[in-house]
Amino acid sequence: MAPSSVVVTIDKSTNISLVELNDADTSVFFEKQRTASTKQFSWTVLLKIHRILSFFPWIAIGFSRTLISVKKRIALADNHRDEVQYKERLIYRFIRVFLAISIIALIFEFIAYFQHWDLNFIHEINPTNVMGLLHWLYVSWITFRGEYVAPSIMMLSQFCVVLFMIQSLDRFVLGIGCFWIKLKKIKPMIDGEGYDIEDGSSFPMVLVQIPMCNEREVYQQSIASACQLDWPKDRILIQVLDDSSDELLQILIRNEVNSWREKGVNIIYRHRFIRTGYKAGNLHSAMQCDYVKDYEFVAILDADFQPNPDFLQLTVPHFKGKPDVGLVQARWSFVNKEENLLTRLQNINLCFHFEVEQQVNGHFLGFFGFNGTAGVWRIKALEESGGWLERTTVEDMDIAVRAHLNGWKFVYLNDVKVLCELPESYEAYKKQQHRWHSGPMQLFRLCLPAILKSKISKWKKANLIFLFFLLRKLILPFYSFTLFCVILPLTMFIPEAELPIWVICYVPVTMSLLNILPAPKSFPFLMPYLLFENTMSVTKFNAMVSGLFQLGSAYEWVVTKKTGRSSESDLLAFAERQSKNEDKIQRRLSDSGLEMLGKVKEQEAPVDPKMKKKNRIYRKELALACLLLTAATRSLLSAHGIHFYFLLFQGLSFLVVGLDLIGEQVA
């Protein structure tokens, strides 16, 4: 047999029973194999260690860059433009005191942790076992919180959990209603046939109102969209209701109106010298014109709304044969919903509002809150309900409630969409949300006696009071802020009142899933949406308290900033109109025209970098970020698991918002 041969003996064809190695060098061969395998394993381990170690410098660089960015943001932030100084706000003082107490408590918890004080059986500790002053203080605090603080926190948390579950049930019922509408393909129907195209006199008289105030970015496209509405020219009048304080802008808008009038459009320009009552005052003034009595319907379009030419053709016929219908509301559609993370998160909320809330309430109740624009009113309904009032900052909801109390019904058209913009900066969005959540509380205080005395059914009264106002306008911001921004971090220092996992995890995620269903493309943003909604709760809670108790900030009206974005089909036409703007001015050879041309050129000059707008920092949000991160650190000491991760990411969410790192970045 050859010296290097290997003999393999097989007893059975299906089983190898014996392997005989007849080679003196075989052991050397296997030894080399083992050595090579050891070296390969060592190199593999070293390679993995190298990759792990190289990851840390990347984290360090990213962290240092983030700190530099944060430092720059704080140094350059513009904090002098807040309409109400933060030091005057009670809620900020409360957060600061809460944060200071939490930091002190965390220091004691660190000392207890590293001293290995076992407090699981604290009630068995007697004074002889106390080790020093700090230990005595900590033992006293544990005893005090267990007997006096924890029961109160538990009662408050249980109350908030009950409110949370009621609100979740309301969302669930709305979702079922929306599913039923989709399943049965229910849509508002038009009675009879439409209007005779060949007979213009068969069309009702329609007034179109465009209220605006210093809307430099959007006035041209909004006027152009209204002037292109498909309706007989002699049966429509467009009112441009300009409340601008900028004299140059007034001239520009007036010139835009004149250019469309020269094309045969029935359009007029109105400017108030005494601008009181904000938008409600503007609309009320316009309705006092003598010629309004010749019109049957009025369509309201805010300055950034761009209806399709068939908007009136799709909405006005729903009044035909229905004398009890007072309002037809269309849905909003957004041209910039994918512009940044902030607009994506807003789109989720508003999709649920229109797809679910408005549609379900419109079909089953015949009532919903007027959205303030993209709607057509029967003028008779406005007049019988008292017209536009200046008593709140939500004049749209005010007139809707009063019309409902007078027996008028509303129709919501989910398939008719009107393009508009979402606020792209957090500052603009925050001011908008403050107005949207303080106004309803003002209105609730004013309308409650009228609701109780009205002749509508008890079910409609209960719906208005408990669902429309209390549950969706008051309870939602109250429990969201109290439960997730106050009680949850508090329970980290008072573990006797710890919240169950299903309250902070399973139910919020389930409700967020329901909210996101109308916008299925937004599913990847589920967790950012959940965290951002909790972050916005501080603004909504502050607004709700301001409106309920008539604080100064409840009556603030700030026009939401617009960027002038158009749909892709409108970009070319809009650019052409912009290029003709200077030509219009030059054709007017008057001194005022030449002066205006000079002002336009001055405004187009480069802006001084020192005067450039800067992002802001928000102290309430930053204080809450520190509070939640402090509570997360305490949770980490106790190995709370899901509580730690929730507090950590929620704290980081507040930090991002507080540094104005979400939405439009201008500095």
Side-chain angles (χ1 to χ4, degrees), residues 58 209 236 318 396 507 576:
W58 179 81
Q209 295 179 332
I236 184 174
H318 285 274
D396 45 7
V507 176
E576 183 179 354

Side-chain angles (χ1 to χ4, degrees), residues 374-471:
V376 182
W377 276 94
R378 189 188 297 272
I379 294 180
K380 182 180 178 181
L382 288 177
E383 293 174 345
E384 290 186 357
S385 302
W388 299 103
L389 300 181
E390 306 169 9
R391 56 183 183 172
T392 71
T393 57
V394 284
E395 74 294 326
D396 45 7
M397 186 181 295
D398 188 359
I399 187 64
V401 171
R402 286 185 280 118
H404 180 57
L405 295 179
N406 284 329
W408 292 98
K409 295 182 179 179
F410 302 164
V411 174
Y412 175 72
L413 304 177
N414 193 56
D415 294 334
V416 181
K417 300 179 181 180
V418 181
L419 284 174
C420 62
E421 288 186 22
L422 290 167
E424 294 185 8
S425 68
Y426 178 69
E427 179 184 9
Y429 179 63
K430 182 177 181 179
K431 291 178 179 179
Q432 180 197 70
Q433 292 300 302
H434 187 278
R435 176 164 56 87
W436 285 6
H437 286 81
S438 64
M441 291 298 98
Q442 302 174 37
L443 183 61
F444 177 65
R445 295 177 59 258
L446 296 171
C447 284
L448 183 58
I451 294 173
L452 296 175
K453 296 177 182 178
S454 65
K455 297 179 180 180
I456 60 176
S457 65
K458 293 182 179 179
W459 156 244
K460 290 183 178 180
K461 290 181 181 180
N463 173 67
L464 266 178
I465 296 174
F466 296 107
L467 292 181
F468 186 76
F469 278 113
L470 292 181
L471 183 59

Side-chain angles (χ1 to χ4, degrees), residues 25 32 48 114 579:
D25 298 330
K32 291 181 178 180
K48 290 184 178 180
F114 288 107
S579 65

